[in-house]
Amino acid sequence: MSVLGATGSIGTQTLDIVRRLPERFRVVAVSANRDVRTVVSQAREFRPQLVALADEAAAAACRQELAGTGIQVLAGEEGLVAVATMPEADVLVGAVVGMAGLVPILAGAKAGKVIALANKESLVVGGQLLMDTACANGAVILPVDSEHSAILQCLAGENRPYLRRLILTASGGPFWGKRRSQLRGVTRREALRHPRWQMGAKISVDSATMMNKGLEVLEAHWLFGAALDAIDVVVHPQSIVHSLVEFQDGSIVAQLGPTDMRHPILYALTYPERVAAGLPGLDLLQVGQLQFMAPDDETFPCLTLAREAGRRGGTAPAALNAANEVAVAAFLQDRIEFLAIPEIVAQVLERHNERPADDLPAVLAADQEGRRLAQQLIDHWEGGAS
Amino acid sequence: MSVLGATGSIGTQTLDIVRRLPERFRVVAVSANRDVRTVVSQAREFRPQLVALADEAAAAACRQELAGTGIQVLAGEEGLVAVATMPEADVLVGAVVGMAGLVPILAGAKAGKVIALANKESLVVGGQLLMDTACANGAVILPVDSEHSAILQCLAGENRPYLRRLILTASGGPFWGKRRSQLRGVTRREALRHPRWQMGAKISVDSATMMNKGLEVLEAHWLFGAALDAIDVVVHPQSIVHSLVEFQDGSIVAQLGPTDMRHPILYALTYPERVAAGLPGLDLLQVGQLQFMAPDDETFPCLTLAREAGRRGGTAPAALNAANEVAVAAFLQDRIEFLAIPEIVAQVLERHNERPADDLPAVLAADQEGRRLAQQLIDHWEGGAS
C-alpha cells in the first residue's frame, strides 16, 4: 500500500494496522506534509521504496536523513502524486487533510487503485470528478470515516434500491447543548477538546462547528449515490452507533463500535473481508445508554450551509470547503473567534456563483476564489476587531 | 403460502401482510387450533383451498360454516400436516404455539418449503432433526422472531467465519428490575402485561420468566450454527435494537425497528428482498435513549436453565420445553404461582436423562416424559398449597 499523509492521526493508525497484520500488508510509499522526524522513523521501520514531503525544505532534510538507505525522497505535489500512483501499490490510503488531497487522490483514481479515503474534502470538492475518474479507471473508493464505514457495513448484502435513508450520527462535538450566546469567546483549546474522538486539529474544529457533519453529508451523497434529502443527521453524543441505514421495508441496520478509528481503517483495508487484528471491541454493558437527538441548526449553522452548497451543486461545495479551511486555520491561529467561522463560510457561499465542477481547473479555480474571499473577510474581521 | 396457526397473533399479522401485498402472496391453506369464528372469517376473505383445525369438534363446526364454498376442511394433526405440505404453497408460515408445531413443521421441511418459522419450540426441541430434514430436502428456515430476524439481517452479505458473537436483546419483560422476593404472588394479569410487545399468552409469560430468551438462545444455536457460548443476552428494555452481531474485527452490526412483529414477518416472507409494505417505521428522535444491561440470572433463572439444557444436548431441551409448557399452562390457570415455573422446569431437567434427539420418536418420548413429570410436580404443588 501507499499512504498519503502517513504522519497524521489516520496515517499513524493505518501503520498500526500494518504492524498488526504484517503478512497481509506491505508499505511501499508514504507521504507527509513537513514532519520529517516522524516520516523518517516510519521509513526506517516500514522500509518503503518512496517517501514524499509536500514541503521542499522538509524533503531536503528527509533526503539527508535517509541517505544511504536506498529510499527515494521526492518533494511537492509531484512527490505526492508519485506516492499515490506507485505501481507496486494496490491500495492507496488517502489520509491527507484538506483540499491538498484532491490532486494526488485523483491521480490514484486514474491509476485504478483501491482507495481507502479519509480525505473527505476530495469528495466534497471534487465528488463528480473523483467518482467519474474512479469509475472510468476501475478504482474503488472505500470510506475511512467511521460514519461512512458504518454505512458501507450496513449496506453489505443489500441492494441499493432497498435503501430509503442514510442516517449519519454526530457526536455534537465539545459544545453540544450550548446556545449561540455561550459560544462567544470560546478558545481554541476548548474547541479542540473533543469529548469522544482523538483527532487532528482541523477535523476537531469542524466537529465543534458541525461542518464536519455537513462535509460528511456531501461525502455520503457521492459515495453511496443517495439524494441529499435522503441523508439525515442525528446527534448521538456517545459516538457508539457510527451510523444507520433505513430500508424501504422500514427496518434500520446500524453499525456500532468503540471510538477507535483503527476499526474503519481496518475495514477499508480488508473489505469485503473482516479480519481479526486484536483491536479492542465494544462492551455494550459498559456503554450503558445511547441517546439520539435532533441537530441544533440555529447554534450550529454549518450543517445547513453544507446542505445548501450541495443543493446548489457544481463548484458551490468547493467554495464552502475553501472558506471553511481558511476560516478554521484563522481560528486555530487565534485570528478570528469561533462564531466567525460559519459567518465567513456563509458569506463566501452567498457571493459564490457556482459553475459545473466536472473538470479539475474549474474546481481549483472555485477553491482559489473561495480562499481569497475568505481571506479578505478575515482581514476585514481582524481590522474590525482590533 | 400456507399458514399454520392463522388465528393467533403471528397468524393474523401474517394475513395483514398478505392484505398489503396482494399481488405477491396468495393464501392456499390455513390452520387453527379451535377458533372457528376467526378461521371462517379468514377463509371467506382469503379463499384458501384448505382449512384445518386441530380440534375435531371445531373442525366439524367449521366444515358446516364453510359448506358450499368449495373449501376443504380437515381435522387433527393430519389436517395440520396437509396444510404444511400443501403442494400449491412455496412458503409455509409456522405460527403454531408450542410443541404442537413440531410434527407439521417437520412435514413442511420434508416437503422442501421455505419456512417462515415463528414456532421456536420446534427448533428448541427438534433442532437437529428439523435442520437435518430441511437440509436434506432443500427447505429453508427463516426466523419470524424479531431477534433472529435481526441477526439474519445483520449477517446479510457477511461470511459465517467472520462471526464472533451473537447478542440477543431481551426486553426483560414486565418484572424487570424486581427482586425474587417481589415476585411472590404476582398475578397472571401482571405477567401478561408486557411493557413493549403485544403477544400471545404463552410467549408473554415466557418473556416474564426470561424462558423466552432461553428458548431463543437454543433457537439461535440451530438457526445460525453458533456455539452456545458465542450467544450472549443483554437486557434492553426499549426493545428497539432487536439483536446484534459482533464480527471478528470487533465491529458490531445491529438491527433496529419498531416493536411490530409485522416487520420480521415481512422480512421472512420477502427474504432476501426488502419490500415496502407501508408499515410504520422507527423515529430515532422519538426513541430518545437506549439502554443495555446484564440479565439478572438470580431473579430469572430460566435463561440459565435453558443454557444448561442446551449444553447437555440431545433430548434435554425437549424435557425443558415440555416442563415449561405445562408449568406456564398451570400458571395461566392459576394453579401454581409465578415462581413455581422455573422450579418445576429445574426439577424436570434435573431428573431427565438425556438421549440423542435425532429421530422423532425420541423427541416425542422426551416431551411426553417431561410433561408427565411436570404434571406430577404441579399436582404435588397444588396439594401442598391447598
Side-chain angles (χ1 to χ4, degrees):
Chain A
M1 68 167 72
S2 295
V3 184
L4 282 171
T7 58
S9 171
I10 298 294
T12 53
Q13 293 181 82
T14 298
L15 295 178
D16 181 64
I17 297 292
V18 173
R19 237 175 246 123
R20 286 164 182 270
L21 300 169
E23 321 237 300
R24 193 168 177 118
F25 300 115
R26 197 164 58 83
V27 178
V28 296
V30 296
S31 86
N33 186 24
R34 59 173 74 233
D35 181 352
V36 177
R37 189 202 295 218
T38 305
V39 86
V40 163
S41 125
Q42 290 175 339
R44 294 213 167 106
E45 179 180 357
F46 293 97
R47 294 273 151 193
Q49 298 163 241
L50 173 64
V51 172
L53 285 109
D55 185 272
E56 302 275 348
C62 181
R63 197 170 292 122
Q64 215 160 0
E65 290 272 358
L66 293 178
T69 60
I71 298 172
Q72 189 186 9
V73 178
L74 296 176
E77 190 172 273
E78 202 181 323
L80 301 195
V81 168
V83 168
T85 57
M86 191 76 179
E88 291 81 357
D90 304 312
V91 174
L92 168 64
V93 178
V96 174
V97 177
M99 180 65 186
L102 180 61
V103 169
I105 287 164
L106 266 177
K110 207 169 282 172
K113 304 295 183 195
V114 172
I115 304 177
L117 187 65
N119 176 279
K120 59 191 73 172
E121 293 85 351
S122 57
L123 270 179
V124 169
V125 169
Q128 181 78 60
L129 199 54
L130 182 54
M131 295 312 285
D132 288 353
T133 306
C135 192
N137 296 281
V140 175
I141 298 180
L142 298 169
V144 165
D145 256 343
S146 63
E147 292 81 357
H148 302 83
S149 177
I151 288 172
L152 187 64
Q153 293 180 53
C154 295
L155 289 174
E158 303 284 352
N159 287 331
R160 295 305 157 96
Y162 302 160
L163 188 68
R164 179 184 287 166
R165 209 160 52 108
L166 304 179
I167 307 168
L168 296 173
T169 56
S171 69
F175 302 137
W176 175 250
K178 292 204 190 301
R179 309 288 313 152
R180 216 181 128 71
S181 58
Q182 296 173 282
L183 294 183
R184 263 180 234 300
V186 295
T187 64
R188 188 176 60 171
R189 231 175 109 186
E190 291 170 297
L192 293 179
R193 204 184 296 134
H194 196 278
R196 298 282 160 186
W197 292 98
Q198 293 282 339
M199 304 181 292
K202 161 56 165 69
I203 189 172
S204 293
V205 177
D206 283 348
S207 183
T209 63
M210 292 284 282
M211 181 58 93
N212 186 46
K213 214 49 54 178
L215 299 180
E216 285 177 6
V217 167
L218 301 175
E219 191 185 356
H221 165 68
W222 290 113
L223 275 174
F224 304 111
L228 290 172
D229 290 342
I231 306 171
D232 282 1
V233 171
V234 296
V235 174
H236 167 50
Q238 293 79 21
S239 294
I240 293 296
V241 176
H242 294 313
S243 278
L244 315 90
V245 170
E246 186 185 48
F247 296 101
Q248 65 175 359
D249 60 359
S251 181
I252 291 180
V253 174
Q255 190 267 335
L256 294 74
T259 50
D260 182 335
M261 283 305 293
R262 292 175 300 175
H263 282 277
I265 294 169
L266 174 65
Y267 189 69
L269 293 179
T270 60
Y271 175 88
E273 288 180 67
R274 289 187 179 275
V275 173
L279 297 179
L282 179 68
D283 182 350
L284 266 190
L285 300 179
Q286 273 202 323
V287 164
Q289 70 181 35
L290 305 177
Q291 297 167 291
F292 300 95
M293 292 169 275
D296 174 358
D297 293 326
E298 203 176 316
T299 309
F300 304 99
C302 283
L303 178 53
T304 309
L305 291 171
R307 282 190 186 277
E308 189 199 319
R311 259 191 301 272
R312 281 169 53 184
T315 54
L320 169 102
N321 179 69
N324 185 59
E325 284 195 29
V326 170
V328 170
F331 170 71
L332 286 172
Q333 293 159 16
D334 292 324
R335 294 178 59 201
I336 58 170
E337 70 153 320
F338 184 77
L339 287 175
I341 300 171
E343 276 187 43
I344 287 162
V345 173
Q347 288 192 36
V348 169
L349 191 59
E350 199 187 307
R351 299 195 207 170
H352 181 75
N353 293 312
E354 64 269 20
R355 300 171 296 278
D358 44 13
D359 61 19
L360 189 57
V363 169
L364 295 178
D367 175 68
Q368 284 307 318
E369 190 189 306
R371 280 171 203 274
R372 216 164 28 237
L373 185 50
Q375 207 53 68
Q376 283 169 17
L377 292 166
I378 287 164
D379 295 343
H380 179 78
W381 183 280
E382 283 188 311
S386 64
Chain B
M1 68 167 72
S2 295
V3 184
L4 282 171
T7 58
S9 172
I10 298 295
T12 53
Q13 292 181 80
T14 299
L15 295 179
D16 181 64
I17 298 292
V18 173
R19 235 175 248 125
R20 287 163 182 271
L21 301 169
E23 321 235 301
R24 194 169 176 117
F25 300 115
R26 197 162 59 82
V27 178
V28 296
V30 296
S31 86
N33 186 22
R34 59 173 75 233
D35 183 350
V36 176
R37 191 203 294 218
T38 306
V39 86
V40 163
S41 123
Q42 291 175 338
R44 292 211 169 109
E45 180 180 356
F46 293 97
R47 295 274 149 192
Q49 296 162 243
L50 171 65
V51 171
L53 286 108
D55 185 272
E56 301 275 347
C62 181
R63 196 170 292 122
Q64 213 160 1
E65 291 270 0
L66 293 178
T69 59
I71 299 172
Q72 190 186 9
V73 179
L74 295 176
E77 192 171 89
E78 201 180 325
L80 301 196
V81 168
V83 168
T85 57
M86 191 77 180
E88 291 82 355
D90 303 312
V91 174
L92 168 64
V93 178
V96 174
V97 177
M99 180 65 188
L102 179 61
V103 169
I105 288 164
L106 266 177
K110 206 168 283 173
K113 304 296 182 193
V114 171
I115 304 178
L117 187 65
N119 177 277
K120 58 190 74 169
E121 292 85 351
S122 58
L123 270 178
V124 168
V125 168
Q128 181 78 61
L129 197 56
L130 182 54
M131 295 312 284
D132 288 353
T133 306
C135 193
N137 295 281
V140 175
I141 297 181
L142 298 169
V144 165
D145 255 343
S146 64
E147 292 80 358
H148 302 83
S149 176
I151 288 172
L152 187 64
Q153 294 180 52
C154 294
L155 289 174
E158 303 286 351
N159 288 332
R160 295 304 157 96
Y162 302 160
L163 189 67
R164 178 184 287 165
R165 209 160 51 107
L166 305 178
I167 307 169
L168 297 173
T169 55
S171 69
F175 302 136
W176 175 251
K178 292 204 189 301
R179 310 288 312 151
R180 215 182 130 70
S181 58
Q182 296 173 282
L183 294 183
R184 263 181 233 301
V186 296
T187 64
R188 187 175 61 170
R189 231 176 109 186
E190 291 171 297
L192 292 179
R193 204 184 295 134
H194 196 279
R196 297 284 161 186
W197 292 98
Q198 293 282 339
M199 304 182 291
K202 158 62 165 62
I203 190 172
S204 293
V205 176
D206 283 348
S207 183
T209 63
M210 292 284 282
M211 180 58 93
N212 186 46
K213 215 47 56 177
L215 299 180
E216 284 176 7
V217 168
L218 301 175
E219 191 186 356
H221 165 67
W222 289 113
L223 276 174
F224 303 111
L228 290 172
D229 289 343
I231 307 171
D232 282 1
V233 171
V234 297
V235 174
H236 167 51
Q238 293 80 21
S239 294
I240 293 295
V241 177
H242 293 313
S243 278
L244 314 90
V245 170
E246 187 186 45
F247 296 101
Q248 65 175 357
D249 59 358
S251 181
I252 291 181
V253 174
Q255 189 266 335
L256 293 76
T259 49
D260 182 335
M261 282 305 294
R262 291 175 301 176
H263 282 277
I265 294 169
L266 175 65
Y267 189 70
L269 292 179
T270 60
Y271 176 88
E273 288 180 68
R274 289 188 179 274
V275 173
L279 297 179
L282 178 69
D283 182 350
L284 265 189
L285 299 178
Q286 271 201 324
V287 166
Q289 69 181 36
L290 305 176
Q291 295 167 292
F292 300 95
M293 294 170 273
D296 175 357
D297 292 326
E298 203 176 316
T299 309
F300 304 100
C302 283
L303 179 53
T304 310
L305 290 171
R307 281 191 187 278
E308 189 199 320
R311 262 191 299 273
R312 282 168 52 184
T315 54
L320 169 102
N321 179 69
N324 184 59
E325 284 196 26
V326 170
V328 169
F331 170 71
L332 286 173
Q333 292 158 15
D334 292 324
R335 293 178 60 201
I336 58 171
E337 70 154 318
F338 183 76
L339 287 174
I341 300 171
E343 276 186 42
I344 288 163
V345 172
Q347 288 193 34
V348 168
L349 192 59
E350 200 187 306
R351 300 196 204 170
H352 181 74
N353 293 311
E354 64 269 21
R355 300 173 296 278
D358 44 13
D359 61 19
L360 189 57
V363 169
L364 294 179
D367 175 67
Q368 284 307 317
E369 189 189 306
R371 278 171 204 275
R372 216 163 27 235
L373 184 50
Q375 207 53 68
Q376 282 168 17
L377 291 167
I378 287 164
D379 294 344
H380 179 78
W381 182 281
E382 282 190 311
S386 63

